[in-house]
Amino acid sequence: MIEKMWLYPPLAFARLGPSPDPCENYRYGPNDLNPRGTGKTVALPAPSLVVAADGTLTERLPQGNRARFKDEHGFRPICPFFEVHGSWVIDGVRGDGPITTEVLDAFGLTPADVRWKVEVANLKAHHCTRAEDDRIDAAVEVAGNQHQKRPLEGRSPQSAARPLVPPGRHVPLGSVQIPQPSAAFPELRLRFTPAAGLVYGPTNLTQHTTRYPLPAEQLFLSPDSRWCEFRETNDDGDPRTAPSGLYAGASEEDGGTSFGLVDDVCDGLVTVTVGELTARARIVVTPPDFAPDRRPFTSLADGLTDRVKRAEVRDPAYVSGNQQLTALEVRDLFERALEAMDSVNVDAQNQRATGENIRNAQGEGSSIAEARARTFPAPVPLAGITLALTERGRRKHRRFSALEVLEDLIREQPNFIAQFVRPPASEERWYDRRMPVSVRGSDAFPMHLTRRQYDLLVAWARSVRANVQEGS
């Protein structure tokens, strides 16, 4: 019998794109850190699964040995697969891994006995208005032997008195397809394809603004919905509208009334049922990745690792027993910081952060000069360089990507981490010169590393200094 069942991956990200061809698989190779290199992560092509209209599954390598992220249609969407895994006992032999047609056959089952359900929603408007009528939901159910692509049509609730999406219309939220299992690919899979990345508006949008020249076929939302009369208010401490500008547009003439725009991102659940067993995974749709060769220094993976493995780096035995692994993790962090520097205009961020410091000082009646001095002053121009502060930061971070340079720095400046890296979860509102410099976090406070990343840096620096003392 099949004892347990789960979906792999448990969480997947799809990325919007108007191209009919999904983005090909790629993996990260070594960073190009030679003296004249780009300093970026190298994206190496990998074999990709291709699903035909009838569900036939084949494998191919990208043409020209290059990973392509765009074509003549625009960004290629990232379309993740969900694969059914489990553990079972067949003829007294225990097994685990992907559940295949062979495993199903051992228990008298066929792909027709596999039931899939995908439920997604776009709740941006609902989040602000708190009106059920402004929900946009889509769901589709499909059996494992049905291989045609099924659209996810986002609609307002049937009982809505003032629906955002009028009856008979829908916002496309993507599609799902079940590939046909074969001898070469006997696993049970579902593929999720996100929407194109379009914006939709009410039928009367052009009467209120010409800022968003949307095609007529994308103007079908109801102007009578609560979303089209919503007003952004920050003075009452409403967390739905802080920080400001969370939605695409609002009229400045009538007190900030929403233009009623909606995009086609969504998130939701993928559910598979086989007999009495059910497994679930989550799908999240996001914008395209404009810089796939530049990794963030703090990612979702870092956040999840912080949740479940935060304590391990506080154990002195962790670093002492894993010195090589710890050093590689620290180097990887600084390599990602270098890549992030290539995506950030530090001069503009520093100017914004200085302005926020000044406004904070004015609000509490403290010294504006001291608030201004926390961030970097106007940089001395560099010959032929427009963004001097950005260029200086990139040069320094390029040096930090060499672990030997970092170790020497820690030996020479024992307090480097405490002095130049911002500690996490501080209620300090002021922007300063600590890393990450002048970047705003999702909570509107200065951005910081995760607690695990910061504690790992502190523990690693402590071990570097201890090795010096032992050697002296």
Side-chain angles (χ1 to χ4, degrees):
M1 59 176 293
I2 300 177
E3 297 178 332
K4 295 181 181 179
M5 189 173 68
W6 60 91
L7 284 173
Y8 183 83
L11 169 66
F13 290 87
R15 293 190 181 274
L16 302 167
S19 174
D21 296 317
C23 185
E24 296 153 324
N25 277 352
Y26 65 94
R27 59 184 177 85
Y28 286 139
N31 291 49
D32 185 5
L33 295 174
N34 64 71
R36 296 186 179 275
T38 63
K40 303 174 185 176
T41 296
V42 178
L44 300 175
S48 299
L49 295 179
V50 180
V51 187
D54 64 354
T56 302
L57 199 61
T58 56
E59 184 180 79
R60 74 179 180 195
L61 279 170
Q63 297 178 355
N65 201 34
R66 296 186 62 183
R68 291 171 294 178
F69 301 99
K70 296 178 70 176
D71 55 27
E72 65 273 15
H73 303 284
F75 280 98
R76 291 186 166 189
I78 290 187
C79 309
F81 287 91
F82 291 90
E83 192 172 272
V84 185
H85 284 228
S87 60
W88 57 84
V89 177
I90 300 177
D91 296 331
V93 179
R94 184 172 297 278
D96 62 79
I99 295 179
T100 63
T101 50
E102 183 180 359
V103 174
L104 291 180
D105 186 62
F107 299 107
L109 301 171
T110 69
D113 298 306
V114 180
R115 311 296 301 185
W116 293 87
K117 184 176 183 180
V118 179
E119 306 164 274
V120 296
N122 180 326
L123 302 181
K124 289 185 175 181
H126 169 69
H127 167 75
C128 288
T129 66
R130 296 174 178 166
E132 289 295 309
D133 294 1
D134 288 330
R135 294 179 60 95
I136 301 178
D137 300 275
V140 63
E141 296 187 45
V142 57
N145 63 339
Q146 298 173 331
H147 305 296
Q148 299 299 315
K149 185 175 288 189
R150 301 294 184 92
L152 287 161
E153 300 179 344
R155 306 178 189 274
S156 294
Q158 292 184 356
S159 60
R162 299 170 59 185
L164 175 59
V165 182
R169 303 302 301 263
H170 69 272
V171 174
L173 295 180
S175 62
V176 299
Q177 188 174 14
I178 309 298
Q180 290 192 43
S182 63
F185 303 101
E187 301 85 4
L188 310 178
R189 295 184 175 95
L190 175 143
R191 185 172 220 179
F192 180 94
T193 299
L198 302 180
V199 175
Y200 300 87
T203 55
N204 65 347
L205 177 66
T206 56
Q207 300 175 23
H208 297 284
T209 182
T210 58
R211 192 187 307 170
Y212 305 102
L214 300 179
E217 61 269 22
Q218 292 167 223
L219 299 178
F220 59 80
L221 301 181
S222 172
D224 296 324
S225 64
R226 289 177 174 83
W227 177 227
C228 290
E229 62 185 30
F230 176 77
R231 293 191 178 189
E232 179 184 26
T233 55
N234 282 323
D235 24 325
D236 61 355
D238 189 343
R240 297 172 299 168
T241 58
S244 61
L246 286 179
Y247 57 94
S251 171
E252 298 177 357
E253 291 77 22
D254 60 357
T257 304
S258 167
F259 287 138
L261 299 175
V262 170
D263 57 27
D264 53 9
V265 303
C266 62
D267 72 288
L269 292 173
V270 177
T271 304
V272 63
T273 300
V274 180
E276 297 181 355
L277 296 177
T278 296
R280 293 183 176 86
R282 182 166 287 279
I283 180 70
V284 178
V285 177
T286 71
D289 191 341
F290 290 93
D293 57 349
R294 303 176 193 181
R295 300 170 296 159
F297 54 83
T298 296
S299 65
L300 177 65
D302 292 312
L304 294 174
T305 303
D306 182 58
R307 290 290 185 93
V308 298
K309 295 183 177 181
R310 177 185 295 181
E312 67 180 9
V313 299
R314 298 177 181 174
D315 183 353
Y318 179 84
V319 174
S320 62
N322 302 278
Q323 290 188 3
Q324 185 177 6
L325 182 62
T326 301
L328 290 174
E329 190 171 350
V330 170
R331 186 177 70 179
D332 179 73
L333 173 59
F334 278 90
E335 286 179 354
R336 288 191 283 155
L338 171 62
E339 294 168 30
M341 284 291 296
D342 270 344
S343 301
V344 175
N345 183 333
V346 181
D347 295 72
Q349 290 287 348
N350 185 66
Q351 187 177 23
R352 177 197 56 78
T354 303
E356 289 199 20
N357 280 355
I358 292 174
R359 287 192 291 274
N360 286 340
Q362 291 172 332
E364 65 178 32
S366 59
S367 169
I368 293 178
E370 291 180 6
R372 189 190 301 273
R374 291 176 182 268
T375 53
F376 290 97
V380 177
L382 293 173
I385 302 296
T386 303
L387 303 175
L389 193 59
T390 302
E391 179 61 25
R392 283 190 171 90
R394 290 174 181 173
R395 290 179 182 180
K396 287 186 176 181
H397 276 276
R398 181 177 285 270
R399 292 179 62 246
F400 293 159
S401 62
L403 192 61
E404 295 81 0
V405 172
L406 273 173
E407 290 175 341
D408 288 342
L409 189 64
I410 295 300
R411 296 184 187 105
E412 295 168 2
Q413 303 181 42
N415 295 324
F416 179 82
I417 301 298
Q419 185 176 357
F420 292 107
V421 180
R422 183 176 296 111
S426 169
E427 296 185 1
E428 176 66 68
R429 295 183 304 162
W430 303 102
Y431 288 90
D432 53 32
R433 305 180 190 187
R434 290 176 295 180
M435 296 183 288
V437 173
S438 301
V439 182
R440 175 189 282 165
S442 59
D443 58 358
F445 283 84
M447 193 172 183
H448 52 73
L449 302 178
T450 68
R451 170 57 65 182
R452 184 186 182 279
Q453 286 177 313
Y454 185 82
D455 288 348
L456 178 71
L457 279 178
V458 171
W460 168 79
R462 187 186 303 119
S463 72
V464 170
R465 295 193 301 270
N467 291 338
V468 172
Q469 294 170 358
E470 291 175 2
S472 58

